[in-house]
Amino acid sequence: MALLFLLWILLIVAIPCSLLLLLLLSFLVRPRPVKIPIKGRHVFISGGSSGIGLSLARLAAAEGARVSILARSPDKLQEACQSIRLATGVDVAVFSADVRDAEAVRRALDEAGPVDVLICNHGVFVARELDLHDVEGVKFTIDVNLTGTFNLIKAALPGMKNRGQRGPGSIALMSSQAGQVGIYGYTAYSASKFGLRGLGEALQQEVIVDDIHVSIIFPPDTETPGLAEEIKTRSEITSIIAASSGTMKADEVAMLTLNGIKSGTFFVTCNFDGIMLALGTASLSPQRSFLVAFFEVVGAGLMRLVALYYQWSWYKTIEKWHSQKNSK
């Protein structure tokens, strides 16, 4: 009887407190909610010749967008163009450029015309411990993943700011769950992907007055040609830790990405582990949804406990793997 009375008292206290917190959060969350249309808009996708980028191009074309894709290989771009035409009946514009080349990127964006939705989807990754990574390899990873993103945004921004009455715009940055938490063997890759979060948070403050909305996507391992190549070279311990979040298909990630862009979501997560990581690392990131903000606030302590368990598991795995390796 006493327990029921205590539970009743807790409910009486908890429900009004929760409602007051929700009311406060509905006032505090910034930027405000937004809907970003795709139909009839110009969607420009880097890394659009394969993997997630190609899936995104198909989806956007199917929804009635004018799609442009950029990649390095002219042959792969033509193959992608034919694939999209077969799937949707829509022709897309193709541009061949290396995102590290700021001038080539600027020329491509000038030729493509003003962009409404910019998806910076390009990326490279080599899973290798830092002491085995050569400096040029580290520089290449950061130049493509981070500096290349700066080059794209810098080239697209003037046209995006002068969109007139074409409605809200979007800049989406394809990060990774390795951009939310550091992973063994991903020192260079994680550094480049963590950088995208800082870029995205600062950029959102700079472009909000231009009705441009930033999204950062955090997919797990995704079944793409790039992952197939990475698996050939990454260490066993990296594969064990990465496997804890599972893998997804490119079409699944693309669908979640496009839905996140359309809702203006800042952190776009792709599976349960991604949601947990987003809740646990929200910190000072923008948040449009007062309901999600509520779970970030009340779940912060629990998420920290879950995160500590994951870290305990990973470090035990690392210790065991090295112990077995040294005993051989």
Side-chain angles (χ1 to χ4, degrees):
M1 193 69 181
L3 180 60
L4 288 174
F5 179 74
L6 180 60
L7 289 172
W8 176 249
I9 295 297
L10 287 172
L11 283 174
I12 291 175
V13 173
I15 291 175
C17 288
S18 296
L19 291 174
L20 283 173
L21 178 57
L22 284 167
L23 183 64
L24 174 64
L25 291 172
S26 69
F27 170 75
L28 287 178
V29 291
R30 291 293 187 278
R32 305 307 290 176
V34 67
K35 295 295 182 185
I36 299 172
I38 296 297
K39 185 177 181 179
R41 316 294 298 287
H42 183 196
V43 178
F44 191 101
I45 306 168
S46 66
S49 64
S50 64
I52 298 170
L54 178 55
S55 293
L56 278 166
R58 287 197 200 100
L59 286 173
E63 290 199 17
R66 177 167 73 89
V67 177
S68 298
I69 58 175
L70 178 142
R72 284 181 296 177
S73 169
D75 292 340
K76 288 183 179 180
L77 281 167
Q78 291 305 319
E79 290 174 8
C81 184
Q82 292 172 11
S83 170
I84 296 166
R85 186 186 302 118
L86 286 172
T88 67
V90 176
D91 283 319
V92 302
V94 297
F95 299 93
S96 175
D98 188 326
V99 294
R100 295 175 297 170
D101 186 338
E103 183 58 29
V105 169
R106 185 193 62 77
R107 288 195 301 268
L109 266 298
D110 286 348
E111 184 179 345
V115 173
D116 298 299
V117 177
L118 175 67
I119 305 178
C120 302
N121 170 74
H122 61 276
V124 294
F125 47 99
V126 177
R128 189 170 296 158
E129 293 90 332
L130 184 60
D131 63 343
L132 301 177
H133 232 316
D134 60 272
V135 174
E136 286 305 310
V138 173
K139 186 175 184 300
F140 174 69
T141 299
I142 293 174
D143 282 350
V144 173
N145 295 352
L146 188 56
T147 308
T149 302
F150 273 99
N151 291 339
L152 273 165
I153 297 171
K154 181 78 172 172
L157 211 48
M160 295 188 74
K161 285 188 172 185
N162 295 316
R163 293 185 331 281
Q165 302 301 313
R166 296 209 308 273
S170 172
I171 297 174
L173 313 178
M174 188 61 69
S175 184
S176 163
Q177 285 182 358
Q180 294 174 287
V181 59
I183 300 294
Y184 185 106
Y186 279 176
T187 44
Y189 183 67
S190 283
S192 69
K193 293 298 186 178
F194 265 85
L196 292 179
R197 173 170 173 169
L199 164 59
E201 289 186 1
L203 180 66
Q204 181 61 95
Q205 295 179 13
E206 294 178 8
V207 299
I208 190 63
V209 294
D210 300 295
D211 202 14
I212 299 172
H213 308 273
V214 177
S215 294
I216 307 179
I217 301 90
F218 296 104
D221 276 352
T222 305
E223 295 174 6
T224 64
L227 178 64
E229 289 300 312
E230 181 208 348
I231 289 174
K232 294 176 182 178
T233 59
R234 73 184 181 187
S235 70
E236 181 185 359
I237 188 64
T238 302
S239 295
I240 293 170
I241 294 174
S244 63
S245 187
T247 60
M248 294 182 68
K249 295 185 181 300
D251 288 345
E252 295 172 334
V253 174
M255 179 64 75
L256 291 165
T257 297
L258 200 60
N259 288 340
I261 289 170
K262 290 191 286 188
S263 63
T265 304
F266 187 75
F267 278 177
V268 179
T269 57
C270 299
N271 61 7
F272 176 78
D273 293 283
I275 294 170
M276 184 207 73
L277 285 167
L279 291 174
T281 62
S283 188
L284 291 172
S285 62
Q287 181 54 261
R288 298 181 189 277
S289 168
F290 68 89
L291 287 174
V292 176
F294 176 81
F295 286 107
E296 289 173 348
V297 173
V298 300
L302 176 61
M303 286 302 103
R304 179 55 177 158
L305 181 62
V306 172
L308 288 170
Y309 167 76
Y310 269 84
Q311 289 290 342
W312 172 83
S313 174
W314 291 343
Y315 277 95
K316 290 292 288 184
T317 300
I318 292 168
E319 290 168 7
K320 181 180 178 181
W321 185 78
H322 277 284
S323 176
Q324 291 175 343
K325 181 182 177 183
N326 292 332
S327 65
K328 291 180 180 178

